[in-house]
Amino acid sequence: MNWKIIAILLLSLAVMMMGAGCTTTPSAPNTTTTTTVQATTAAPSTGSSGAATTVATTAGGDNSLTPGPTQTMPKGNDVFVQVNQKDPIDRSITVIYNGGAGMNSVTGCTVRLIRSDGTEETKPLNTQTGSELVFKGTKNPDRIIVKVTTTSGQTYTIVDQMSALAPR
């Protein structure tokens, strides 16, 4: 008698689990972009902090909404900078420094947002693993540029991309 009750309960549980899996609504995928950067030498890293700067700009040149080429650093050590997809609710864009084998040769990282309304904002990104910046974007595509400076004094543009809202 007990085995019949257990079998009925297990069958009921299986039917409920299958029904719950079929009724969930699909959500938009959380898309991130990771860029690999290779550094040249090893030295202690220093974090940087400072106030953000917002200025009005004109279209064209470096302030345009057309992404330019990125630069590949010399082979050696990787550094990862992640640019998250623009949040569909508050339009925020999060940039995260993920570090990597070459993080000791990075002396600074700067993130620049060029908004579709013609304004721009530049902030220094701390070069400690897990450091992040949050920018307020617009409803239209905005341009994100990430530049890394190494102990040799060279600056490399490692990210230059558009950040748009996810399609619904």
Side-chain angles (χ1 to χ4, degrees):
M1 185 71 151
N2 287 337
W3 67 270
K4 288 182 181 179
I5 294 173
I6 292 173
I8 291 172
L9 288 174
L10 288 175
L11 183 60
S12 298
L13 180 63
V15 169
M16 286 187 281
M17 286 175 44
M18 289 172 36
C22 294
T23 60
T24 59
T25 58
S27 61
N30 187 7
T31 306
T32 59
T33 301
T34 302
T35 302
T36 301
V37 179
Q38 298 175 350
T40 54
T41 59
S45 67
T46 58
S48 60
S49 62
T53 306
T54 303
V55 295
T57 60
T58 57
D62 196 33
N63 298 328
S64 73
L65 290 175
T66 304
T70 57
Q71 298 167 309
T72 303
M73 298 177 72
K75 290 196 179 224
N77 301 316
D78 292 340
V79 176
F80 300 96
V81 175
Q82 174 180 317
V83 178
N84 289 348
Q85 186 175 17
K86 190 184 297 187
D87 186 279
I89 297 171
D90 66 1
R91 301 180 183 129
S92 64
I93 303 166
T94 304
V95 180
I96 303 169
Y97 183 84
N98 289 328
M103 61 191 261
N104 288 334
S105 64
V106 175
T107 60
C109 184
T110 303
V111 182
R112 181 176 171 200
L113 170 69
I114 302 174
R115 296 184 186 91
S116 60
D117 63 6
T119 61
E120 74 177 67
E121 187 173 3
T122 301
K123 295 180 182 180
L125 177 59
N126 192 316
T127 57
Q128 289 183 330
T129 302
S131 297
E132 66 179 52
L133 292 175
V134 178
F135 289 90
K136 178 72 174 164
T138 64
K139 67 179 180 178
N140 295 316
D142 301 316
R143 181 179 172 193
I144 291 280
I145 303 167
V146 179
K147 294 186 177 189
V148 174
T149 303
T150 63
T151 54
S152 67
Q154 292 183 319
T155 300
Y156 298 90
T157 301
I158 59 168
V159 175
D160 193 347
Q161 68 184 41
M162 297 303 290
S163 178
L165 291 171
R168 293 185 183 211

